[in-house]
Amino acid sequence: MTPGAYAVGAGDVAAGLRFLRAHPGLWRWVIAPALVTLALMTLAVVGVLAAAGPVVDWIAGGMPSALARWSHGVVWVVAVLALGFAAVLLFVPVVGVIADPFNERLAVAVYAARTGVARPPIGLAAFVRDALGGLARGLGRVVVAIVGAALLFALSLVPVIGAIAAAVIAAWLTARGTARDCYEAALSACDLDGAAAQRFLATHRARTLGLGATVAALLVVPGVNLIALGVGTTGATLAAIDLAAAPRA
């Protein structure tokens, strides 16, 4: 694996954006999950603010009256930051759950636009079935994310080296998970089964990880994070086609 391969993976994200701009009809598969995600993010913000009040009152209530007066504001800020951090931590796996069925349709449409090989239209029933399947997989990812976050937090308590190691591991896991979110849809559109998809990811590990790291970075940019997975999936599909992961027309 060379640094150049990671850079190519980052370039695949830019290629995905250019392809979407050249094919405006594909944006519906990117915008739809973005609107759903925006609605859920709004609810999450309201929930964080609502949950912060009782937490602050409970903590402040246990303090001496002399401290409670001036510390109430500090406790409020800390509580909001802590609850907000938890919401951000869960954002990546949750947005993956929402975008999963849309990204599958997006990848199929990108494949058809790039190769000229049309696929049979997928009905509403199949979309709902895929969405439910993605929800089941996504809930597992959320649980893993929570457990992983707890372990990384414990590791970060080790002075200096623990915090650095936790940050590096968290970044790698996020990039890897995001790459899989994008490439699962892309390789499925290219008619690769599970074993073939695993071989593809192993063979092109640096390039796929470069794409995943770039998309993961975009997921923390407000506004951009709503469409990041769609753009990444488009780039992953184009990369899979260019790497001859599937036969051309």
Side-chain angles (χ1 to χ4, degrees):
M1 295 188 293
T2 63
Y6 292 101
V8 172
D12 288 335
V13 180
L17 180 59
R18 290 194 299 270
F19 194 83
L20 287 170
R21 293 177 62 182
H23 300 80
L26 298 176
W27 278 104
R28 67 182 183 274
W29 299 114
V30 179
I31 299 301
L35 294 177
V36 176
T37 302
L38 180 61
L40 290 179
M41 287 176 62
T42 302
L43 292 175
V45 171
V46 173
V48 165
L49 294 178
V55 172
V56 170
D57 292 339
W58 177 73
I59 295 176
M63 293 182 174
S65 58
L67 293 177
R69 292 180 180 178
W70 65 267
S71 64
H72 192 277
V74 175
V75 174
W76 178 270
V77 172
V78 173
V80 169
L81 289 176
L83 292 171
F85 175 77
V88 171
L89 182 67
L90 295 176
F91 176 78
V92 172
V94 169
V95 75
V97 172
I98 297 170
D100 187 56
F102 296 96
N103 285 345
E104 289 182 3
R105 303 304 180 271
L106 172 62
V108 169
V110 170
Y111 183 89
R114 180 62 177 267
T115 66
V117 178
R119 301 294 174 83
I122 301 174
L124 179 60
F127 180 84
V128 172
R129 183 185 65 248
D130 290 345
L132 292 176
L135 177 61
R137 295 191 300 271
L139 290 176
R141 293 174 186 171
V142 171
V143 172
V144 171
I146 294 174
V147 174
L151 294 175
L152 289 175
F153 176 75
L155 177 61
S156 69
L157 297 179
V158 178
V160 185
I161 188 65
I164 296 174
V168 172
I169 294 172
W172 182 80
L173 289 176
T174 302
R176 184 172 179 269
T178 304
R180 285 187 175 277
D181 283 341
C182 294
Y183 269 98
E184 279 181 0
L187 298 177
S188 176
C190 293
D191 288 333
L192 269 70
D193 59 21
Q198 290 298 326
R199 287 195 299 271
F200 177 91
L201 293 173
T203 302
H204 306 287
R205 185 175 291 110
R207 181 168 179 173
T208 58
L209 193 60
L211 179 140
T214 303
V215 175
L218 295 177
L219 285 172
V220 301
V221 180
V224 177
N225 55 5
L226 297 175
I227 64 171
L229 280 178
V231 175
T233 297
T234 302
T237 306
L238 296 174
I241 296 170
D242 290 344
L243 292 168
R248 291 178 176 271

